[in-house]
């Protein structure tokens, strides 16, 4: 064990962001990833200012902008007419207000940039093909991380960034009760050139309607369009990013919707339509045990109805690195990290869950009425986008 060695279980976006933040502060890390090859499944991800500030801090924001798209606005629209109910200005107006851009990017592109940054800071930081099974606290301080092949490593601290089915989470929190939200979520990526010009929106659009909603936005310099569609289903038990379903079911789910949604569905690769269950887990009051803690979905699984799940992991990473740098006692540093994250992440979890009701109201009249009561741009600017995990005062 080196004096400042931190062990990270999971080489996804959260784990790699944490590795980059820690290495940049001179704290040694090793990342253990179960997959044999580095890569990120899934499709699009939205990077708002609260996460962009962290990527600026670790030096990849410019590359992220180049790899992604910078939408002009974030709009809430009626499912059939396309009527705009609310707008959050993005693009140059967003940069003027928040100092950093709002970027929509393919998860694989963001993951690649994080791998490059981590390996630039420490070439041998990432270890592949290693399945984490659990950990043990050491009496003299530190923690031992155990692997399925019988091996183990010891370090100053353990960070469980191994996702919603985290082995580290199971040991700290126990088995999490899971509740099916009632939504099954479609995911497809479309080549922009295969869609008529009038359907190539340079915006993030949240299409709201009775019993379902859809999200569309550009990626890769507007060459790709991401479509996510959340549809109420009575029963569904598959919680996997790679559960494919027949294209005709996607088409049927969005019959009668705006022509732009229909155009994207028609242009989709019919062999690559994916649908998975949206399961909910209640927030927990503690995700830290001695010299081990959790980050991102392992700590606070979040429904994607605010596009903030990944951003919370990115925020976690920056605050954790600051805590470990500031506090010499590792167990106290992890408590400092959790104390500064739990209230905000709980708010995000709860608001993301409540957005499902708002997006799925029974009629256009109800949707208009409820959105008319809100100023979502001001709300999110006041507390969500304005948060700076690199500089926020620590409590």
């Amino acid at each position: 064990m080196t004096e400042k060695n931190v062990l990270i279980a999971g080489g996804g976006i959260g784990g790699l962001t944490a590795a980059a933040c820690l290495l940049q502060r001179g704290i040694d890390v090793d990342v253990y990833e179960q997959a044999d090859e580095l890569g990120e499944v899934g499709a699009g991800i939205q990077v708002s200012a609260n996460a962009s500030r962290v990527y600026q801090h670790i030096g990849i924001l410019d590359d992220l902008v180049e790899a992604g798209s910078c939408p002009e606005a974030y709009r809430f629209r009626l499912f059939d007419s396309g009527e705009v109910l609310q707008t959050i200005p993005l693009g140059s107006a967003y940069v003027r207000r928040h100092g950093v851009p709002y970027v929509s990017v393919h998860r694989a592109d963001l993951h690649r940039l994080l791998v490059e940054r981590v390996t630039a800071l420490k070439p041998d930081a990432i270890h592949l093909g290693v399945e984490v099974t659990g950990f043990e606290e050491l009496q003299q301080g530190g923690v031992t991380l155990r692997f399925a092949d019988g091996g183990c490593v010891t370090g100053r601290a353990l960070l469980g960034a191994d996702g919603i089915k985290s082995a580290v989470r199971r040991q700290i929190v126990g088995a999490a009760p899971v509740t099916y939200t009632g939504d099954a979520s479609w995911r497809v990526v479309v080549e922009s050139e295969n869609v008529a010009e009038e359907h190539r929106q340079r915006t993030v659009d949240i299409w709201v309607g009775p019993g379902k909603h859809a999200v569309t936005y550009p990626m890769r310099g507007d060459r790709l369009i991401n479509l996510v569609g959340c549809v109420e289903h009575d029963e569904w038990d598959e919680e996997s990013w790679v559960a494919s379903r027949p294209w005709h079911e996607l088409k049927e789910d969005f019959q009668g919707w705006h022509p732009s949604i229909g155009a994207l569905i028609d242009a989709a690769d019919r062999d690559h339509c994916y649908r998975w269950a949206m399961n909910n887990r209640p927030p927990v009051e503690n995700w830290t045990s001695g010299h081990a803690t959790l980050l991102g979905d392992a700590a606070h699984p979040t429904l994607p109805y605010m596009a903030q799940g990944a951003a919370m992991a990115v925020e976690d990473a920056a605050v954790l690195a600051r805590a470990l740098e500031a506090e010499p006692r590792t167990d106290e540093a992890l408590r400092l990290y959790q104390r500064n994250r739990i209230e905000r992440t709980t708010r995000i979890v709860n608001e993301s869950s409540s957005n499902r009701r708002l997006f799925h109201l029974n009629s256009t009249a109800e949707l208009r009425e409820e959105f008319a009561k809100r100023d979502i741009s001001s709300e999110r600017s006041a507390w969500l986008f304005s948060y700076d995990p690199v500089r926020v005062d620590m409590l």
Side-chain angles (χ1 to χ4, degrees):
M1 178 177 71
T2 62
E3 183 179 354
K4 292 188 175 182
N5 180 247
V6 174
L7 311 173
I8 299 177
I13 288 170
L16 292 176
T17 303
C21 288
L22 289 161
L23 288 167
Q24 188 157 299
R25 292 180 180 272
I27 301 172
D28 189 26
V29 302
D30 283 283
V31 179
Y32 297 91
E33 166 58 40
Q34 182 173 343
D36 293 325
E37 295 182 4
L38 283 171
E40 180 72 9
V41 298
I45 188 169
Q46 298 177 58
V47 182
S48 50
N50 42 312
S52 288
R53 294 185 183 99
V54 179
Y55 291 136
Q56 183 179 59
H57 174 67
I58 63 174
I60 69 167
L61 182 58
D62 289 345
D63 291 332
L64 187 63
V65 170
E66 185 176 349
S69 295
C70 290
E72 297 169 351
Y74 189 113
R75 306 186 296 183
F76 296 90
R77 307 180 68 182
L78 286 180
F79 73 102
D80 50 359
S81 66
E83 175 187 339
V84 177
L85 302 173
Q86 292 259 340
T87 299
I88 302 174
L90 300 181
S92 58
Y94 191 86
V95 175
R96 286 193 298 272
R97 183 163 191 174
H98 299 290
V100 286
Y102 194 108
V103 187
S104 52
V105 64
H106 199 292
R107 297 181 76 97
D109 296 335
L110 171 55
H111 192 264
R112 171 181 54 80
L113 292 172
L114 288 169
V115 169
E116 291 172 358
R117 182 60 181 145
V118 170
T119 54
L121 290 165
K122 182 182 178 181
D124 61 347
I126 302 171
H127 310 270
L128 301 177
V130 184
E131 181 183 353
V132 170
T133 57
F135 67 93
E136 294 176 8
E137 292 276 349
L138 303 177
Q139 287 188 345
Q140 68 271 32
V143 62
T144 295
L145 183 62
R146 300 204 173 277
F147 307 128
D149 65 2
C152 64
V153 291
T154 300
R156 167 191 176 187
L158 168 62
L159 174 59
D162 43 347
I164 206 164
K165 300 177 181 178
S166 164
V168 181
R169 177 189 171 98
R170 282 197 305 272
Q171 193 165 334
I172 295 177
V173 177
V178 175
T179 303
Y180 175 49
T181 62
D183 284 354
S185 187
W186 288 99
R187 169 174 58 87
V188 296
V189 176
V190 175
E191 298 277 352
S192 299
E193 64 181 17
N194 295 332
V195 179
E197 182 68 33
E198 64 265 27
H199 302 309
R200 301 178 198 171
Q201 308 293 338
R202 295 205 70 256
T203 52
V204 178
D205 285 347
I206 315 299
W207 306 80
V208 296
K212 64 191 74 173
H213 75 280
V215 182
T216 57
Y217 54 84
M219 305 184 297
R220 286 189 182 161
D222 303 344
R223 296 188 303 276
L224 298 178
I225 303 171
N226 193 57
L227 166 64
V228 176
C230 297
V231 182
E232 293 180 11
H233 283 271
D234 290 337
E235 294 183 14
W236 191 256
D237 59 5
E238 183 70 43
E239 188 176 39
S240 168
W241 279 88
V242 292
S244 63
R245 299 290 296 181
W247 173 86
H248 72 83
E249 293 183 4
L250 170 61
K251 181 72 170 175
E252 291 165 3
D253 275 344
F254 289 93
Q255 283 290 347
W257 277 51
H258 192 273
S260 289
I261 298 296
L264 293 175
I265 292 171
D266 288 342
D269 183 337
R270 301 189 183 194
D271 294 325
H272 292 88
C273 297
Y274 301 95
R275 192 174 77 178
W276 76 101
M278 303 302 296
N279 288 333
N280 209 0
R281 292 160 175 80
V284 297
E285 296 180 355
N286 174 67
W287 62 65
T288 300
S289 174
H291 292 74
T293 193
L294 305 173
L295 174 147
D297 279 349
H300 38 75
T302 307
L303 293 171
Y305 302 155
M306 285 182 73
Q308 287 294 313
M312 290 303 101
V314 173
E315 290 183 6
D316 286 349
V319 173
L320 174 70
R322 292 176 61 197
L324 282 167
E325 182 182 53
E327 175 56 63
R329 280 192 53 178
T330 299
D331 55 347
E332 291 298 329
L334 299 188
R335 289 293 176 187
L336 176 64
Y337 152 68
Q338 176 177 292
R339 187 163 66 248
N340 281 273
R341 294 300 298 154
I342 197 160
E343 181 177 345
R344 179 170 169 85
T345 56
T346 296
R347 180 176 183 179
I348 292 287
V349 169
N350 290 336
E351 291 207 14
S352 296
S353 298
S354 69
N355 274 347
R356 177 181 184 266
R357 183 201 67 83
L358 174 64
F359 294 171
H360 293 195
L361 289 170
N362 290 327
S363 69
T364 55
E366 287 182 86
L367 287 162
R368 285 194 187 98
E369 181 181 358
E370 287 299 310
F371 274 93
K373 297 175 183 177
R374 305 277 297 272
D375 183 350
I376 297 175
S377 179
S378 294
E379 291 172 14
R380 294 194 182 180
S381 292
W383 71 274
L384 179 59
F385 302 148
S386 60
Y387 182 85
D388 185 351
V390 179
R391 296 174 182 83
V392 67
D393 290 340
M394 302 279 272
L395 305 175

